[in-house]
Amino acid sequence: MKNKIITLIIAIFFLININANSQGNAPDYNKKPTEFIYKGVSFYQLPYAFNALEPNIDKETMLFHYDRHHKAYFMKYVDAMEGKPQLKIEDLCKKISQYPETVKNNAGGYFNHILYFQIMLPGGSNLPKGKLAIAIDQKFGSFENLKKQISDAATSRFGSGWAWLSVSENGELFVSSTSNQENPMMDVVKDRGTSILALDVWEHAYYLKYQNKRKDYIENYWKVLNWDEVGKMFEKALKK
Ligand code: MN3
C-alpha cells in the first residue's frame, strides 16, 4: 500500500513536470513578448500580444514575423554596427550609401518592421483624423483613393519589399514602394521622405495564412491599421 502511494506521488510529480515543461516551450500567443536585450541593446517590444490582430493577421505569422524575422534583423544590425560610431537609426538610413550592404539590409529590416508593427491596432482600424485627414483629402482626393494607391503599390511590388506613405521634405504626403529592406529615408532611394505608414509585402508577412493571395492580405491589413498612430507620426514628421 505504502509503495503504491509513493509510486502514485512520483507519477503525479512527473505529470506536473511534463505539463510545466510543455507549457514553457509552447509559445504563449495571449501575451506580449518579454523584453529582449542583445549585446546591451534593447529589442523593440511589440505593444500587443501575438494573437491581438486575429483574424486579419494570424498569431503564427505574428510570432514568426516578430520573434524570428524581426529579431534576426535586429541582432545582425547590432553585430554589423559593433565597434562603429552609434547613430540614431533614422540618421544612419540617411547616409546608408556609406555603409556595407549588410548594414543596409539589417538596419532597414529592423527599422521598417518597427514602423509596421507600431501602426497596427488590436480590435480593428480607426479612421484618419485632424491634420492627417485634411492632408489626405488635399493630396489624394479621398481616403479611399489613398488606400487604393498604397494597395496598388503593394500589389505591384515584384518580389520582396514594402509600400509606404511618407512625408516629403516640403511636408507633402506621397505613396511609394521599395525593394527588399530599403526605405524612403535611405539616400539610395529615389522618392525620399519620412515614412509614417509601412506595409510589408515580403512573403513571410502573409504566406502562412494567405499563401499566394497577397491581395487578400493587403485588404485585411487595412482592417487593423491604427490611423491615430499614423496621425501622430505625420505631425512629428511635419516638425522635422
Ligand atoms: Mn517582414
Side-chain angles (χ1 to χ4, degrees):
M1 184 65 184
K2 209 177 171 186
N3 275 351
K4 274 189 182 166
I5 291 172
I6 291 172
T7 311
L8 191 66
I9 290 170
I10 292 172
I12 290 170
F13 176 78
F14 269 103
L15 274 175
I16 291 170
N17 227 8
I18 287 166
N19 197 27
N21 277 339
S22 66
Q23 279 178 355
N25 293 332
D28 191 346
Y29 294 114
N30 302 303
K31 282 190 181 159
K32 288 183 199 177
T34 50
E35 192 181 20
F36 176 74
I37 296 170
Y38 179 67
K39 294 185 177 175
V41 187
S42 288
F43 181 43
Y44 169 75
Q45 263 191 294
L46 200 65
Y48 41 76
F50 294 122
N51 66 1
L53 305 174
E54 288 270 4
N56 301 299
I57 312 276
D58 61 291
K59 59 184 195 264
E60 284 87 7
T61 298
M62 278 302 298
L63 175 78
F64 279 97
H65 205 175
Y66 172 81
D67 204 57
R68 312 288 152 80
H69 292 281
H70 193 198
K71 196 178 267 180
Y73 287 120
F74 164 69
M75 290 166 76
K76 286 181 192 162
Y77 157 67
V78 173
D79 287 342
M81 290 303 288
E82 219 175 359
K84 294 189 172 73
Q86 300 297 305
L87 287 172
K88 268 174 69 183
I89 197 156
E90 290 92 333
D91 296 330
L92 177 66
C93 287
K94 284 176 191 162
K95 45 178 169 173
I96 207 73
S97 60
Q98 299 169 26
Y99 287 82
E101 196 72 7
T102 171
V103 172
K104 185 178 85 175
N105 292 339
N106 293 296
Y110 185 50
F111 180 86
N112 299 350
H113 285 96
I114 292 175
L115 182 56
Y116 174 71
F117 290 129
Q118 192 183 336
I119 57 164
M120 289 197 282
L121 182 68
S125 179
N126 44 29
L127 287 169
K129 296 185 194 87
K131 279 185 189 166
L132 177 62
I134 295 165
I136 288 172
D137 280 345
Q138 278 174 350
K139 178 73 197 227
F140 301 97
S142 72
F143 178 50
E144 285 310 311
N145 279 347
L146 166 70
K147 287 209 291 190
K148 193 184 175 306
Q149 272 202 34
I150 298 173
S151 297
D152 289 349
T155 311
S156 60
R157 160 58 44 198
F158 181 74
S160 299
W162 295 76
W164 306 94
L165 176 64
S166 311
V167 184
S168 70
E169 234 173 51
N170 56 18
E172 261 198 57
L173 288 171
F174 68 93
V175 171
S176 68
S177 159
T178 58
S179 67
N180 299 319
Q181 294 298 358
E182 291 183 351
N183 66 49
M185 236 89 61
M186 291 180 173
D187 63 349
V188 292
V189 162
K190 192 174 109 271
D191 304 309
R192 294 185 61 195
T194 306
S195 296
I196 61 172
L197 179 155
L199 171 48
D200 189 346
V201 290
W202 281 60
E203 281 187 346
H204 67 229
Y206 60 89
Y207 209 84
L208 283 179
K209 182 178 167 80
Y210 296 96
Q211 291 83 48
N212 56 329
K213 297 181 201 110
R214 184 190 279 190
K215 226 178 160 179
D216 292 358
Y217 155 69
I218 294 166
E219 258 168 50
N220 287 334
Y221 165 81
W222 295 119
K223 297 179 187 164
V224 289
L225 201 65
N226 188 353
W227 286 100
D228 287 349
E229 197 59 36
V230 178
K232 275 187 214 158
M233 311 272 310
F234 177 60
E235 294 193 23
K236 219 167 104 187
L238 289 180
K239 283 177 197 148
K240 273 186 184 166

